[in-house]
Amino acid sequence: MGGVSHTSLSPLPSSDRADITARLRSALLGASFTADGLLDLLGAPAYAALARSETVPALRATRGDTPLETLVRLFLLQQPVPYARVADVLPVEDALECGWLIRTGGDEVAASVDIRPYGGPGGEDWFIVSDLGCAVGGAGGIGSREEGVVLGVGGASTTLAGITVRTPVDSALDLGTGSGIQALHVAQHATRVTATDLNPRALHITALTLALSGAPAADLRQGSLFEPVRADETYDLIVSNPPFVISPGARLTYRDGGMGGDDLCRTLVQEAGDRLNEEGYAQFLANWQHVEGEDWQDRLRSWVPRGCDAWIVQREVQDVTQYAELWLRDSGDHRADPADYQARYDAWLDEFEARKVKAVGFGWITLRRTAAAEPSITVEEWPHSVEQPLGDAVREHFERVDYLRRHDDAGLLAGHFRLVAEVVQEQVGLPGAEDPEHVVLRQHRGMRRATKVDTVGAGFAGVCDGTLSAGRILDAIAQLVGEDPVLLRDRTPAQIRLLVEQGFLEPVE
């Protein structure tokens, strides 16, 4: 989302000439201007440096005159390149006519936008278009303070793409599309894609991203939050990487929401429920305030709209000084006049102090529309590493919610379960001790959770292969350890429920 772009931003290529865009795409692919081609050319260190907005290693790696080196210098490094060299690779006159290239004087041409190869989840060769110098956003620091600037692929973009549920759907909404990354992903499994943004420049760039990537066009609409969506429109999937930064004012439209505190994220979540079809998902990245005297989990539970299950995961927490410094670096303010930097820093801290904010959390919010009488709301903190993509793990979380909602303790004991793949058991105790102090089950896939279990829980999980019911397994364990089977059946369902809820056991129905 964004506002009116400043005139100092470069003119954008035309989005109307599909024939020329198709020829440009063909030329880029022909020169191996792809994610794999870049890695082969630059090598891993220079490729990784480019993702950090460090260009010197890539400049050193592209001192030759091959077609791929020419394209890297032109579109990734934004260097002027001799017309004749570009003409050997691209339909240069067409690219000049449509505005993909501009003349820089003499016999050189330059790119008008950044074009970055991006590998799709199925091996697709895509291209993300963004403003010059803005391919990587977030903490790396784009160093641009232009109001309407449109960023390319950053860590937040790829995180949201990774956690999104990828089941085929009829309709999807990308709210605050930016350069169109999420719209590009959902176009692979949604029949109809609507993409919105407050910034008209972002909508134009999204159209370029989709066309240059060979994806179907989206229904592009200008406006804030759900304003561009008609009252009678609902969706099977809503995704949003909104301008979630909690800042004093709306200075940068790609990140600052223009509402006080975390109100933009709260509003987005609360209004999403009425826009979802039954069983539809809404998935967001968000920041939220940790307010003095208030439980942050209760704060987030209050955001969840009626009629929705929710899974909210806090991935990171920063104190207010760390948070202010992160986003001051993002906009390049740390390189400005020291007095200006101090004044802006003070303004951030004044804002937090007035709202009694002591820290800011970052994480994922997933809603699912449900007809259940008692929706499930899970709010948790999980700062540890996970295995992306997580879309299947998100979908499976809600499937387990449904299963546990349908089964009471007796139902669990009658059920059959299977230990999921790549779960290991760790025993912790003193050397030489007869029994471990505790047993830990650890996942090596998905959320990579770890949970403590007792010896019965560990033994139960270890023999779950789907053949015997939970009750029969417990009866066998009771006989083995000399325990009353009735008592064991009474006290174990809670542990089974936890193992199912956290994804260690999967029901076999």
Side-chain angles (χ1 to χ4, degrees):
M1 287 174 285
V4 178
S5 59
H6 289 178
T7 55
S8 57
L9 291 171
S10 63
L12 294 173
S14 169
S15 59
D16 298 330
R17 292 296 303 274
D19 56 333
I20 292 179
T21 304
R23 289 184 62 199
L24 180 59
R25 171 176 170 78
S26 178
L28 296 177
L29 294 176
S32 296
F33 188 64
T34 63
D36 289 342
L38 285 185
L39 185 59
D40 289 342
L41 171 67
L42 302 178
Y47 188 75
L50 199 59
R52 300 190 301 269
S53 298
E54 295 290 349
T55 58
V56 172
L59 284 167
R60 292 173 60 85
T62 56
R63 290 178 288 196
D65 57 2
T66 66
L68 181 54
E69 287 169 296
T70 296
L71 294 177
V72 171
R73 284 197 158 245
L74 191 64
F75 290 118
L76 266 65
L77 304 177
Q78 277 103 56
Q79 300 293 307
V81 178
Y83 179 103
R85 279 184 59 184
V86 178
D88 288 339
V89 189
L90 299 178
V92 65
E93 284 300 325
D94 287 342
L96 284 166
E97 177 190 338
C98 276
W100 290 99
L101 300 177
I102 56 175
R103 296 186 183 273
T104 60
D107 64 347
E108 292 184 324
V109 297
S112 63
V113 288
D114 185 295
I115 299 176
R116 187 138 314 216
Y118 181 76
E124 302 93 346
D125 288 316
W126 292 339
F127 300 98
I128 308 299
V129 180
S130 63
D131 274 312
L132 294 173
C134 298
V136 180
I142 62 163
S144 173
R145 282 168 274 178
E146 294 287 357
E147 182 185 348
V149 70
V150 179
L151 302 192
V153 182
S157 305
T158 55
T159 294
L160 179 59
I163 67 172
T164 300
V165 176
R166 297 295 176 196
T167 52
V169 295
D170 177 56
S171 56
L173 170 65
D174 175 15
L175 194 150
T177 187
S179 55
I181 300 156
Q182 309 308 323
L184 183 56
H185 276 278
V186 299
Q188 310 309 303
H189 61 102
T191 304
R192 294 179 292 109
V193 178
T194 302
T196 71
D197 207 294
L198 183 60
N199 184 0
R201 189 176 181 87
L203 295 175
H204 190 132
I205 284 181
T206 290
L208 297 175
T209 290
L210 293 172
L212 195 59
S213 298
D219 178 4
L220 303 176
R221 305 182 192 178
Q222 185 182 351
S224 177
L225 298 178
F226 289 102
E227 286 176 4
V229 179
R230 295 193 306 270
D232 61 342
E233 286 183 299
T234 54
Y235 298 89
D236 302 311
L237 174 65
I238 299 171
V239 292
S240 183
N241 176 18
F244 53 67
V245 177
I246 301 170
S247 59
R251 188 164 60 113
L252 299 174
T253 55
Y254 69 85
R255 70 175 203 192
D256 301 324
M259 296 186 185
D262 52 17
D263 283 354
L264 182 133
C265 291
R266 175 185 56 78
T267 301
L268 179 59
V269 173
Q270 289 179 336
E271 293 183 356
D274 290 337
R275 300 297 185 174
L276 285 176
N277 294 325
E278 194 66 27
E279 301 296 318
Y281 287 93
Q283 299 188 260
F284 316 105
L285 300 185
N287 273 175
W288 43 79
Q289 297 172 151
H290 284 232
V291 179
E292 189 177 331
E294 180 183 32
D295 186 294
W296 69 270
Q297 293 180 319
D298 289 343
R299 181 181 189 84
L300 289 172
R301 286 189 187 95
S302 74
W303 291 8
V304 178
R306 294 179 61 184
C308 288
D309 293 324
W311 184 21
I312 301 173
V313 182
Q314 180 166 272
R315 296 287 291 155
E316 184 180 1
V317 181
Q318 290 184 314
D319 68 48
V320 292
T321 60
Q322 292 174 309
Y323 188 80
E325 290 161 14
L326 168 69
W327 295 108
L328 287 167
R329 287 195 303 272
D330 169 76
S331 54
D333 288 303
H334 62 307
R335 294 191 291 269
D337 178 84
D340 289 342
Y341 175 77
Q342 182 176 339
R344 291 196 184 279
Y345 200 150
D346 265 333
W348 284 71
L349 298 186
D350 286 344
E351 178 82 3
F352 287 133
E353 186 176 329
R355 294 179 176 275
K356 298 184 178 179
V357 176
K358 56 185 180 180
V360 177
F362 167 80
W364 320 323
I365 298 177
T366 300
L367 307 176
R368 185 189 60 165
R369 190 77 188 171
T370 180
E374 294 186 20
S376 165
I377 300 177
T378 301
V379 183
E380 62 175 318
E381 185 163 22
W382 189 254
H384 312 293
S385 65
V386 298
E387 181 194 42
Q388 285 276 36
L390 268 173
D392 286 345
V394 173
R395 175 182 50 78
E396 289 163 1
H397 166 88
F398 289 97
E399 290 174 351
R400 295 193 298 270
V401 165
D402 286 339
Y403 177 86
L404 293 172
R405 204 155 36 199
R406 293 193 306 266
H407 293 79
D408 58 12
D409 286 356
L412 286 183
L413 292 174
H416 294 239
F417 302 94
R418 182 187 299 114
L419 187 67
V420 301
E422 295 191 44
V423 171
V424 298
Q425 177 178 308
E426 301 171 358
Q427 297 188 175
V428 181
L430 294 172
E434 185 175 341
D435 294 313
E437 291 180 21
H438 59 261
V439 180
V440 174
L441 298 181
R442 187 179 302 278
Q443 301 168 350
H444 283 258
R445 304 295 301 274
M447 290 291 286
R448 294 177 174 161
R449 295 188 186 276
T451 189
K452 286 203 299 189
V453 293
D454 60 21
T455 52
V456 170
F460 176 86
V463 297
C464 278
D465 61 2
T467 57
L468 295 176
S469 70
R472 290 191 61 187
I473 292 174
L474 290 178
D475 290 344
I477 291 175
Q479 185 175 8
L480 187 65
V481 299
E483 192 167 336
D484 185 330
V486 175
L487 294 177
L488 194 61
R489 279 174 171 256
D490 284 346
R491 69 177 175 85
T492 307
Q495 195 165 190
I496 297 174
R497 192 172 293 275
L498 178 67
L499 291 174
V500 172
E501 181 182 311
Q502 295 195 345
F504 289 91
L505 296 177
E506 58 184 5
V508 179
E509 296 190 272

